[in-house]
Amino acid sequence: MKRLKIFILIFCVTLSIPLVYLVLVTYQSLEQEEVAKLRYFAEALFDEIENELSSIVLKEENRAIDEYNYKFIPSGFVPGSTKAMPSPLSKLPEEDYMLGYLQNNPDGSFQTPLIENEESVTDDKVVVIAQLKDVNRIFNLKRLTGADTVKESQAKAPQKQEGKRATGFADKYLDLSKAQKPKAYLGSKEKRVEQITAAQAQKITRQDRDENLENKRKEIEPQTGRSFYRSAKDQVSEGSLNEAFEEKVKSNYENEREQVSEPLTVTKKYQVEVAPLQSIFIDKDQVFIFRRIMINKEIYRQGFIIKIGSFLTHLASSYFVKQPLALYTNLSLEVQAEGVATEIVRAGAAVKKLNLVLNRTFPSPFSFLSATLTCDQIPKSESRKTLQIIIAVLALVVLMGLFAIYHSARTVVDLSERRSKFVSSVTHELKTPLTNIRMYIEMLEQGIARDQEREQDYFQILGSESARLSRLINNVLELSKLEKKQRHLHLKKGTFEDVIQEIESVMQEKLRQEGFTFSVDIKDIHPFKYDKEVMILILINLIENSMKFGKDSPTREISLKIRHEKNSVNINLADTGPGIPRQALKKIFDDFYRVEGALTRTTAGTGIGLSLVKKFVTLLGGTVRAENNTGPGCTITISLPQPHV
């Protein structure tokens, strides 16, 4: 048995190692899948934000260059029939994060599509116009220093991402290596050349740039003492152009147009060079996103001003706050100017421990903007529950299997030990009556019994021992037949009287010799079916068992009670012996089982009597159980089914 325990222990360890490894690998795979899923949907979130930025860029790149004036000429116009109409940019922007649109001219002057002239400024635009003028002034200063673009090197370098990159989700189905390469631009990467009409060029430049106007400019400058095209530095220091000077320029401009040998007509085409959008910080709260256009070798800058704080709040609320991701992740939108963070907007759950960090720096002209998604508790996959259930079931099955193996092996070992003891007991039980029989026969042969009365006693002892030997052999044979399922029943109807008479006849003398009283209580017994020989064998085994273990009891009583109860007949045999240990009440009917104790060690027996009783009762379709009495002794109850009584 000890060896069996060692084998089972080795088996458990051998089985546990691969199972534990399998579980760990599976959990790691699940964790990688969870990270991959979160990464996938986080990248989808970043893509949505980038699409928003891209739509802004594409929308602005596709604007006609004369839309930055209060009135513009739509594309596809018919000369002489289409008049200029208000620009789509002549209204205040609907987006709360956008201040407005402006055009910075080559001389540093300012114009905006919000107004046609200074006299037409409405009350709702006064503050915005003042802010746009201030932006133009600051932009002119930045032009002087050459810091008119946000360099790509200023973009924040991606932080090191914590956690392993999981390849078990999208990468199983798509090769994202190309898609994951960062874009350089959201819109056009190269300069483009467009053709515009003279009327559109006039809307942009506000003066004709032909040779005749240049000659007139030379005539005007000596009269006014002022340069027609002032530098941005002059404009910033002096303020706006002198009104009288502007009026004279306009007057000469109109007169000259009438004298131009090649007048500007809507049919003449001009080429304009348009550069991609770029950005420059006006201050920490505003960024100017503009494009350069070159007309007749002069550069104009057209663009819009974004309020950084409002813009970041708009992106976070539109694409993140209402998403389920916001329940367990945190989004940080950060703006950097010259390598220094100027504005940070955070939204979502509070994150203490960074288990996962995902970054995205957006392409130009929004290269100043980066997004960071952090998470400390990655949502668990539903597969974990299934895995846990499978592990629990597997562990339970393995434990139950090991327990069943151990129990079966132990049962076999115990049965083997009991069989060994049974052989020894049977040998002893056979040897004892044979020895007694031989001894009394020799005494009779030698004439030791000198009178007839003593000879009669000897003959009774010989008869008793031979009957005992016969019953023992008969029990062994009956047990063998039952195990081989060769025992057949012979059921007959009766009132059990014939069984009682046979038992009293067989056991009366032995009961008297051992000093036991035997009582029978039968009331209102209707005829029922039973096998007489089987019932006699059962009751004799039970009575002998009670006599064997109760011979040292102060009170020696055995009672038999038979009652009808519903659809069964209950046969109760009670004695006044020492009783049965509680833990052995269910085991005493097992094959070759004997209760361990001082009494059983000093009492002869084979351990098959009660086992034979249970097998016969089971063959009859009944049940047998043992219970200790409230007083001394125990009661064996046999229930035989009688449904048709």
Side-chain angles (χ1 to χ4, degrees):
M1 199 64 190
K2 186 180 293 185
R3 183 177 296 179
L4 176 64
K5 292 180 180 179
I6 295 173
F7 285 154
I8 291 178
L9 181 61
I10 295 173
F11 175 76
C12 289
V13 173
T14 306
L15 182 64
S16 299
I17 292 175
L19 284 178
V20 170
Y21 176 76
L22 177 62
V23 170
L24 290 177
V25 171
T26 305
Y27 270 110
Q28 289 176 356
S29 299
L30 284 176
E31 185 177 353
Q32 290 177 354
E33 292 289 335
E34 291 161 358
V35 173
K37 287 180 181 179
L38 181 58
R39 183 186 302 277
Y40 179 82
F41 292 110
E43 292 293 343
L45 173 67
F46 291 159
D47 289 341
E48 288 294 321
I49 296 176
E50 189 168 310
N51 289 337
E52 165 85 1
L53 303 180
S54 180
S55 64
I56 294 174
V57 171
L58 293 176
K59 180 180 178 182
E60 299 305 326
E61 282 188 343
N62 292 329
R63 289 193 185 279
I65 58 178
D66 58 336
E67 286 187 37
Y68 283 81
N69 203 303
Y70 181 76
K71 289 187 177 181
F72 85 114
I73 299 175
S75 60
F77 71 96
V78 179
S81 64
T82 304
K83 296 182 179 180
M85 59 184 296
S87 169
L89 307 180
S90 60
K91 298 179 181 179
L92 290 173
E94 297 180 357
E95 299 85 356
D96 59 354
Y97 58 82
M98 193 172 290
L99 179 63
Y101 292 82
L102 65 86
Q103 175 177 298
N104 180 269
N105 297 318
D107 61 352
S109 61
F110 156 85
Q111 72 182 68
T112 176
L114 291 175
I115 57 173
E116 186 172 11
N117 52 60
E118 294 289 341
E119 290 76 16
S120 63
V121 180
T122 58
D123 294 339
D124 61 330
K125 297 180 180 179
V126 172
V127 176
V128 176
I129 298 299
Q131 291 176 341
L132 290 176
K133 286 182 177 180
D134 194 45
V135 168
N136 187 71
R137 178 184 61 80
I138 297 173
F139 180 70
N140 285 331
L141 288 174
K142 290 183 178 291
R143 283 177 56 190
L144 292 176
T145 61
D148 58 346
T149 60
V150 174
K151 297 178 176 57
E152 296 303 322
S153 60
Q154 295 174 0
K156 184 176 70 172
Q159 299 178 1
K160 184 179 180 180
Q161 297 184 1
E162 298 184 18
K164 297 180 179 178
R165 185 178 186 278
T167 59
F169 190 59
D171 294 348
K172 289 182 178 180
Y173 309 102
L174 297 174
D175 181 7
L176 301 177
S177 57
K178 295 181 180 179
Q180 290 168 353
K181 292 180 180 179
K183 298 178 182 177
Y185 295 91
L186 287 174
S188 174
K189 298 182 181 180
E190 304 294 338
K191 295 180 181 179
R192 69 180 188 274
V193 177
E194 295 182 2
Q195 285 190 344
I196 61 174
T197 65
Q200 289 176 306
Q202 181 181 337
K203 290 291 182 182
I204 299 170
T205 62
R206 295 198 294 183
Q207 292 92 14
D208 293 332
R209 301 297 184 184
D210 56 13
E211 184 177 353
N212 293 329
L213 283 180
E214 180 65 19
N215 294 332
K216 285 296 179 182
R217 183 184 64 80
K218 293 178 180 179
E219 295 176 4
I220 293 171
E221 284 182 356
Q223 298 175 12
T224 62
R226 301 284 296 276
S227 172
F228 187 83
Y229 294 114
R230 295 174 303 157
S231 67
K233 184 176 181 181
D234 293 337
Q235 185 192 17
V236 172
S237 60
E238 297 177 11
S240 62
L241 293 172
N242 182 274
E243 293 181 1
F245 172 71
E246 288 183 351
E247 290 296 329
K248 190 167 185 179
V249 170
K250 291 178 182 179
S251 175
N252 283 277
Y253 171 75
E254 295 295 336
N255 293 333
E256 183 63 23
R257 286 193 62 188
E258 297 176 358
Q259 301 173 9
V260 172
S261 58
E262 188 179 3
L264 293 174
T265 65
V266 294
T267 59
K268 187 173 181 179
K269 298 290 184 179
Y270 284 81
Q271 282 191 343
V272 58
E273 190 177 88
V274 182
L277 288 175
Q278 52 189 352
S279 57
I280 184 171
F281 281 94
I282 302 302
D283 53 37
K284 67 176 183 178
D285 298 323
Q286 295 178 340
V287 63
F288 182 30
I289 298 178
F290 63 94
R291 63 185 179 183
R292 297 182 182 191
I293 62 173
M294 181 178 289
I295 302 177
N296 206 19
K297 297 184 179 181
E298 291 187 330
I299 297 176
Y300 299 82
R301 294 167 177 85
Q302 298 177 337
F304 54 94
I305 293 87
I306 286 180
K307 296 181 282 187
I308 294 175
S310 300
F311 185 56
L312 298 186
T313 303
H314 161 72
L315 292 178
S317 60
S318 299
Y319 296 100
F320 179 73
V321 172
K322 296 180 181 180
Q323 299 292 344
L325 275 174
L327 299 176
Y328 48 84
T329 59
N330 183 273
L331 177 67
S332 174
L333 296 173
E334 182 176 328
V335 170
Q336 285 204 356
E338 298 179 356
V340 179
T342 61
E343 186 76 23
I344 299 177
V345 171
R346 292 185 174 90
V351 176
K352 298 179 181 178
K353 183 180 178 182
L354 301 181
N355 285 335
L356 180 68
V357 179
L358 300 172
N359 293 285
R360 172 76 67 89
T361 299
F362 297 100
S364 180
F366 290 96
S367 55
F368 57 85
L369 175 62
S370 63
T372 302
L373 190 77
T374 56
C375 179
D376 56 359
Q377 293 294 332
I378 300 175
K380 303 301 181 185
S381 172
E382 292 295 328
S383 301
R384 285 181 178 265
K385 295 181 179 179
T386 305
L387 178 61
Q388 291 170 356
I389 293 173
I390 292 175
I391 291 173
V393 171
L394 181 61
L396 182 62
V397 170
V398 170
L399 291 176
M400 290 177 62
L402 292 175
F403 177 77
I405 292 172
Y406 176 76
H407 182 71
S408 299
R410 185 168 184 175
T411 302
V412 171
V413 171
D414 290 346
L415 183 60
S416 178
E417 291 177 354
R418 291 201 299 269
R419 284 182 181 274
S420 178
K421 292 180 180 179
F422 166 72
V423 173
S424 177
S425 299
V426 168
T427 303
H428 183 267
E429 288 292 313
L430 290 174
K431 185 177 180 180
T432 301
L434 286 174
T435 302
N436 290 336
I437 291 172
R438 183 176 178 180
M439 182 183 65
Y440 281 103
I441 290 175
E442 289 179 352
M443 291 173 63
L444 289 171
E445 288 178 347
Q446 294 175 4
I448 295 176
R450 297 179 180 178
D451 52 26
Q452 187 175 2
E453 184 177 353
R454 181 168 290 185
E455 285 182 357
Q456 191 65 33
D457 291 336
Y458 287 176
F459 284 127
Q460 287 180 355
I461 293 172
L462 288 172
S464 175
E465 291 298 327
S466 61
R468 176 186 170 188
L469 182 60
S470 177
R471 285 195 299 272
L472 177 60
I473 295 172
N474 189 42
N475 284 342
V476 174
L477 293 175
E478 291 290 347
L479 182 63
S480 176
K481 289 180 181 179
L482 288 170
E483 288 183 346
K484 294 179 181 180
K485 297 182 179 181
Q486 295 177 350
R487 185 64 166 86
H488 301 289
L489 298 177
H490 303 283
L491 300 177
K492 292 183 179 180
K493 269 192 176 184
T495 58
F496 218 66
E497 293 289 345
D498 52 347
V499 175
I500 300 300
Q501 292 176 1
E502 186 69 25
I503 289 173
E504 289 179 341
S505 174
V506 173
M507 299 300 298
Q508 184 176 9
E509 182 60 28
K510 191 165 185 179
L511 288 168
R512 184 186 63 77
Q513 291 177 359
E514 297 292 342
F516 280 87
T517 59
F518 180 69
S519 60
V520 178
D521 183 6
I522 300 178
K523 290 184 179 179
D524 302 326
I525 294 297
H526 302 288
F528 64 96
K529 289 184 177 182
Y530 56 88
D531 188 312
K532 177 182 176 182
E533 292 183 3
V534 169
M535 294 309 302
I536 291 173
L537 183 59
I538 289 174
L539 292 177
I540 288 176
N541 272 292
L542 294 178
I543 293 171
E544 283 190 337
N545 199 64
S546 297
M547 292 171 59
K548 185 190 303 181
F549 291 99
K551 61 184 178 181
D552 295 329
S553 300
T555 304
R556 303 177 184 179
E557 295 180 356
I558 299 175
S559 60
L560 179 64
K561 183 187 296 184
I562 303 173
R563 292 286 188 274
H564 267 297
E565 292 185 8
K566 295 183 180 179
N567 296 328
S568 65
V569 175
N570 289 349
I571 302 172
N572 300 321
L573 185 74
D575 59 37
T576 56
I580 303 170
R582 190 164 190 170
Q583 68 273 13
L585 285 173
K586 293 183 179 180
K587 296 181 180 180
I588 58 173
F589 297 103
D590 294 344
D591 292 344
F592 317 119
Y593 181 82
R594 299 194 74 203
V595 179
E596 294 293 335
L599 183 60
T600 56
R601 284 192 291 271
T602 58
T603 304
T606 59
I608 64 171
L610 294 179
S611 173
L612 193 63
V613 169
K614 182 179 180 180
K615 290 182 183 296
F616 271 125
V617 172
T618 303
L619 187 63
L620 290 168
T623 59
V624 60
R625 66 180 184 276
E627 295 176 344
N628 286 320
N629 301 331
T630 53
C634 68
T635 300
I636 306 295
T637 302
I638 298 172
S639 296
L640 299 177
Q642 297 295 328
H644 302 295
V645 174

